[in-house]
Amino acid sequence: MYGLMMDNPLTITSIMQHADANHPNAEIVSVTAAERWHRYRYQDAFKRTRQLANALMHYGIQPGDRLCTLAWNDYRHIELYYAISCLGAIIHTVNPRLFPEQISYIINHAEDRLVFVDPLIVPVIAPLQQQLDSVEMYIILTDDAHLPETTLANTCSYEAFIHDQAVEFDWPALDERAASSLCYTSGTTGDPKGVLYHHRSTVLHSLASASADVFGLSASDVVMPVVPMFHVNAWGLSYSAPMCGAKLVMPGPKMGDGQTLCRLIQEEGVSLCAGVPTIWAGLLRYLANNNEQVPSLKKVMVGGSACPLSMMHEFEQRYGVVVAHAWGMTEMSPLGTTNTLKPSMRRLAQAEQDAIRIKQGRAMYGVSMKIVDEDDNTLPRDGRSTGLLKVRGPTVCCGYYKQEASEAHDAAGWFCTGDVGHIDAEGYLQLTDRAKDVIKSGGEWISSIALENAAVAHPDVLEAAVIGVHHPQWGERPLLIVVAEAALTQADLLDFLTDKVAKWWLPDAVIFVDRIPHTATGKIQKSQLREQFEGYVLPDCSS
Ligand code: AMP
């Protein structure tokens, strides 16, 4: 027997219409290249979204067409998010920091018809235009007065594109399983793979991620996504914030600038931020060096890479900001877990609470997780048994765009994340590595993440990466690579680590470098480090 409830489809259009009707005066404040801070309200945003939808329709955009954006977090990108998806077309967000060959590969693979590009990103795309066969026009995200000089052919300004368009638009009724957006994973091996979200997965992800133990969003919040809208939908905040009526503060091209982030927080009253550890390290350095405070900031979500305990302590003890550790993947819309303590855990001693808090956290509603061994047997949730992490759920992709079969998916529909870790009896996931980064020493696994976390807790260490290097007896041993702020020696660091990790985990050598390479999404690029240190001979193996 079916229930007697209405079958309204779960679409992004419903988020937009809800925000427009119930939170018309909530603000969106954006940093753009042309203006200091642009400010308008949701009702203004959705009025322009309807003008954009009219412009796209008159241009001849059809349901299912892919339209590319190469843009920062700002108000025009929000308009593109809603107009394109709610029209039935697909917004393909592209990371401008990818290598040029990757950008042209994915635009060609997606067969994007239009490219919406920020003026600051025009120099990235202009040299590639001859290779982009499907692109008909480049729309530069500014007005005529601020168009940059460029060799790009077939351009127009965004403002000219939507100018004179009617402010009314009849949004089409969409199937909730219709594709809404596309984001390619910037995998370190092989070609990038397209993750194709649908309206339903986006709405479910927004609902689940808005809940109290995840973002905990409300109409009283002022949300600043410092995670890019070009990478996994800014962790869904471009949907969940309007769904809850929260004010949005968009840092535009200034995401990596501690001073701008500090000003935005102080002047706009930002209460919640989300971003990767590198961003927060920059902000914390700026705050400490300039003796600034951020009294409105209540919570920072940290994910994308493991959040060091020292970062949590600094935020909490110096600035009164609660840090919630989160884990996710492009393939998961992206959120998988967040870490908040359960009531019984709040009574534990600080060190025991810390041991829980550095874990990646509990599954968000809708995400099922399991750890398996090499033969795909499910391992117990005992906080020790370590293996490959598999996930399943309505916000997880079931395959890749234009790919017949996916090696990452098994016959029962589980997606193998490529992450390695364990889950405890309370459901808390702790990642110890990416499968390809695991260090195998004498048949046992050493967690590079745990070693890196311990090393960055040293006050003079800016960044740390651990890779496995060949050892004749043990197979592999850990090599610690460090960017230090002050004069440090190997002995200082090993001494510091002695009581923080198992003795046999202590790195066999420490190398000091000026910089550690990062991927386009800000993660440490271990593949490049492994190449750089290929053939490295550990000191005790050199004779
Ligand atoms: P991406 O698809 O580019 O967002 O990358 C997803 C990968 O980033 C995950 O599979 C993890 O390896 C890593 N990652 C994300 N969040 C965390 C976290 N909190 N701790 C450790 N690794 C993380």
mmCIF file of all heavy atoms in Angstrom, residues 370-380:
data_model
loop_
_atom_site.group_PDB
_atom_site.id
_atom_site.type_symbol
_atom_site.label_atom_id
_atom_site.label_comp_id
_atom_site.label_asym_id
_atom_site.label_seq_id
_atom_site.Cartn_x
_atom_site.Cartn_y
_atom_site.Cartn_z
ATOM 1 N N LYS A 370 31.398 1.207 5.683
ATOM 2 C CA LYS A 370 31.968 -0.018 6.242
ATOM 3 C C LYS A 370 33.449 -0.090 5.889
ATOM 4 O O LYS A 370 33.901 0.518 4.916
ATOM 5 C CB LYS A 370 31.222 -1.265 5.757
ATOM 6 C CG LYS A 370 31.366 -1.561 4.272
ATOM 7 C CD LYS A 370 30.660 -2.880 3.935
ATOM 8 C CE LYS A 370 30.786 -3.192 2.453
ATOM 9 N NZ LYS A 370 30.160 -4.455 2.058
ATOM 10 N N ILE A 371 34.178 -0.830 6.729
ATOM 11 C CA ILE A 371 35.601 -1.032 6.490
ATOM 12 C C ILE A 371 35.774 -2.486 6.063
ATOM 13 O O ILE A 371 35.219 -3.400 6.698
ATOM 14 C CB ILE A 371 36.405 -0.792 7.792
ATOM 15 C CG1 ILE A 371 36.201 0.629 8.317
ATOM 16 C CG2 ILE A 371 37.889 -1.110 7.600
ATOM 17 C CD1 ILE A 371 36.897 1.718 7.544
ATOM 18 N N VAL A 372 36.527 -2.713 4.979
ATOM 19 C CA VAL A 372 36.727 -4.086 4.509
ATOM 20 C C VAL A 372 38.217 -4.422 4.411
ATOM 21 O O VAL A 372 39.052 -3.517 4.268
ATOM 22 C CB VAL A 372 36.060 -4.317 3.126
ATOM 23 C CG1 VAL A 372 34.558 -4.085 3.188
ATOM 24 C CG2 VAL A 372 36.675 -3.436 2.044
ATOM 25 N N ASP A 373 38.513 -5.726 4.502
ATOM 26 C CA ASP A 373 39.905 -6.136 4.317
ATOM 27 C C ASP A 373 40.176 -6.375 2.829
ATOM 28 O O ASP A 373 39.298 -6.128 1.989
ATOM 29 C CB ASP A 373 40.237 -7.364 5.182
ATOM 30 C CG ASP A 373 39.464 -8.607 4.739
ATOM 31 O OD1 ASP A 373 38.872 -8.594 3.631
ATOM 32 O OD2 ASP A 373 39.452 -9.592 5.502
ATOM 33 N N GLU A 374 41.372 -6.875 2.508
ATOM 34 C CA GLU A 374 41.745 -7.016 1.096
ATOM 35 C C GLU A 374 40.862 -8.007 0.353
ATOM 36 O O GLU A 374 40.763 -7.984 -0.865
ATOM 37 C CB GLU A 374 43.222 -7.394 0.991
ATOM 38 C CG GLU A 374 44.092 -6.165 1.173
ATOM 39 C CD GLU A 374 45.527 -6.470 1.501
ATOM 40 O OE1 GLU A 374 45.964 -7.621 1.283
ATOM 41 O OE2 GLU A 374 46.213 -5.557 1.980
ATOM 42 N N ASP A 375 40.189 -8.926 1.108
ATOM 43 C CA ASP A 375 39.281 -9.886 0.453
ATOM 44 C C ASP A 375 37.825 -9.432 0.519
ATOM 45 O O ASP A 375 36.906 -10.223 0.321
ATOM 46 C CB ASP A 375 39.413 -11.255 1.129
ATOM 47 C CG ASP A 375 40.814 -11.789 1.012
ATOM 48 O OD1 ASP A 375 41.400 -11.581 -0.072
ATOM 49 O OD2 ASP A 375 41.343 -12.351 1.999
ATOM 50 N N ASP A 376 37.614 -8.192 0.846
ATOM 51 C CA ASP A 376 36.283 -7.585 0.917
ATOM 52 C C ASP A 376 35.428 -8.102 2.083
ATOM 53 O O ASP A 376 34.210 -7.987 2.055
ATOM 54 C CB ASP A 376 35.522 -7.769 -0.419
ATOM 55 C CG ASP A 376 34.501 -6.645 -0.627
ATOM 56 O OD1 ASP A 376 34.746 -5.517 -0.147
ATOM 57 O OD2 ASP A 376 33.458 -6.913 -1.255
ATOM 58 N N ASN A 377 36.074 -8.673 3.107
ATOM 59 C CA ASN A 377 35.321 -9.051 4.310
ATOM 60 C C ASN A 377 35.122 -7.800 5.178
ATOM 61 O O ASN A 377 36.074 -7.033 5.363
ATOM 62 C CB ASN A 377 36.103 -10.079 5.143
ATOM 63 C CG ASN A 377 36.374 -11.315 4.331
ATOM 64 O OD1 ASN A 377 35.457 -11.893 3.739
ATOM 65 N ND2 ASN A 377 37.644 -11.723 4.255
ATOM 66 N N THR A 378 33.911 -7.650 5.704
ATOM 67 C CA THR A 378 33.654 -6.479 6.557
ATOM 68 C C THR A 378 34.368 -6.653 7.895
ATOM 69 O O THR A 378 34.271 -7.707 8.540
ATOM 70 C CB THR A 378 32.134 -6.326 6.784
ATOM 71 O OG1 THR A 378 31.523 -6.192 5.503
ATOM 72 C CG2 THR A 378 31.811 -5.100 7.627
ATOM 73 N N LEU A 379 35.076 -5.614 8.313
ATOM 74 C CA LEU A 379 35.837 -5.680 9.572
ATOM 75 C C LEU A 379 34.990 -5.116 10.715
ATOM 76 O O LEU A 379 34.088 -4.297 10.483
ATOM 77 C CB LEU A 379 37.131 -4.878 9.424
ATOM 78 C CG LEU A 379 38.109 -5.449 8.386
ATOM 79 C CD1 LEU A 379 39.310 -4.510 8.204
ATOM 80 C CD2 LEU A 379 38.592 -6.836 8.809
ATOM 81 N N PRO A 380 35.263 -5.551 11.950
ATOM 82 C CA PRO A 380 34.456 -5.070 13.075
ATOM 83 C C PRO A 380 34.643 -3.583 13.342
ATOM 84 O O PRO A 380 35.701 -3.019 13.054
ATOM 85 C CB PRO A 380 34.979 -5.895 14.264
ATOM 86 C CG PRO A 380 36.280 -6.452 13.831
ATOM 87 C CD PRO A 380 36.276 -6.523 12.346
#
